[in-house]
């Protein structure tokens, strides 16, 4: 099913232009796409690419159904810079929309779909990453291992996404320790 969805995603992109929201799970080499988004911003704003970082803005979960129905025509409009992505699943925690942070998983739920994320490339001096965040690793699959490819990238680890942490989950001043101990990660696809 994913194979046919990828073909549809790529062929529609070629015919109709880029979507408003990208299915991040549909990319074979996700890092190349993300580098391209950063390069577009760096060129447009005349900033060296090594002085650009990501800010992550999670959208309302109410937007996700319209995006999944149609990546080109939905409740979002194309951002002025960066991109909207969907298709990530969180393991070991959940996104708590009411509190705007990651929270404990609900009972018997191993994976939860994340809302649409605006991946906003910004110059380092304009960074708005919250101080209380967990640098959540993003993997292509649930096996948290990979080999380095000839490009120097892992075959499985894509990047880390800064997710806001609630005060109750801060251990000894470290907002990440609680979630590291639980092995929380984002996945671009599930094993089923």
């Amino acid at each position: 099913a994913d194979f046919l969805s990828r073909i549809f995603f790529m062929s529609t992109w070629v015919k109709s232009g880029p979507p408003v929201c990208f299915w991040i799970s549909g990319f074979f080499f996700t890092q190349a796409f993300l580098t391209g988004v950063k390069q577009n911003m760096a060129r447009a704003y005349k900033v060296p690419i090594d002085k650009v970082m990501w800010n992550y803005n999670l959208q309302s979960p109410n937007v996700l159904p319209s995006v999944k129905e149609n990546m080109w025509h939905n409740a979002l409009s194309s951002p002025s810079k960066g991109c909207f992505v969907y298709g990530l699943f969180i393991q070991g925690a959940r996104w708590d929309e009411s509190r705007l942070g990651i929270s404990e998983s609900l009972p018997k739920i191993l994976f939860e779909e994340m809302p649409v994320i605006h991946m906003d490339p910004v110059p380092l001096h304009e960074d708005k990453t919250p101080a209380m965040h967990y640098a959540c690793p993003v993997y292509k699959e649930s096996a948290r291992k990979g080999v380095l490819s000839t490009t120097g990238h892992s075959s499985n680890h894509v990047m880390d996404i800064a997710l806001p942490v609630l005060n109750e989950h801060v251990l000894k001043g470290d907002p990440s320790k609680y979630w590291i101990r639980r092995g929380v990660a984002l996945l671009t696809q599930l094993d089923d």
Side-chain angles (χ1 to χ4, degrees), residues 89-133:
F89 299 87
I90 191 166
Q91 180 181 26
R94 68 183 171 91
W95 175 251
D96 187 337
E97 175 64 18
S98 65
R99 300 178 68 201
L100 300 176
I102 51 175
S103 221
E104 293 291 342
S105 298
L106 296 174
K108 300 182 184 179
I109 297 179
L110 299 177
F111 306 98
E112 190 168 301
E113 193 166 17
M114 289 293 286
V116 171
I117 301 173
H118 175 212
M119 298 189 62
D120 185 17
V122 297
L124 295 176
H125 67 276
E126 292 180 18
D127 177 31
K128 293 184 178 128
T129 302
M132 303 297 274
H133 74 275

Side-chain angles (χ1 to χ4, degrees), residues 5 22 24 28 40-41 43 48 71 87 102-103 118 125 129 145-146 171 188:
S5 297
F22 293 87
I24 198 163
F28 174 75
N40 287 342
M41 178 274 181
R43 285 186 193 119
M71 288 179 265
I102 51 175
S103 221
H118 175 212
H125 67 276
T129 302
K145 61 180 182 174
L171 297 178
T188 63

Side-chain angles (χ1 to χ4, degrees), residues 19-37:
V20 171
C21 187
F22 293 87
W23 178 44
I24 198 163
S25 310
F27 293 107
F28 174 75
F29 188 31
T30 313
Q31 295 93 326
F33 168 73
L34 296 172
T35 300
V37 173

Side-chain angles (χ1 to χ4, degrees), residues 51-64:
K51 302 287 185 207
V52 176
M53 66 175 295
W54 292 110
N55 277 181
Y56 308 95
N57 305 304
L58 282 82
Q59 306 301 298
S60 167
N62 300 335
V63 171
L64 189 59

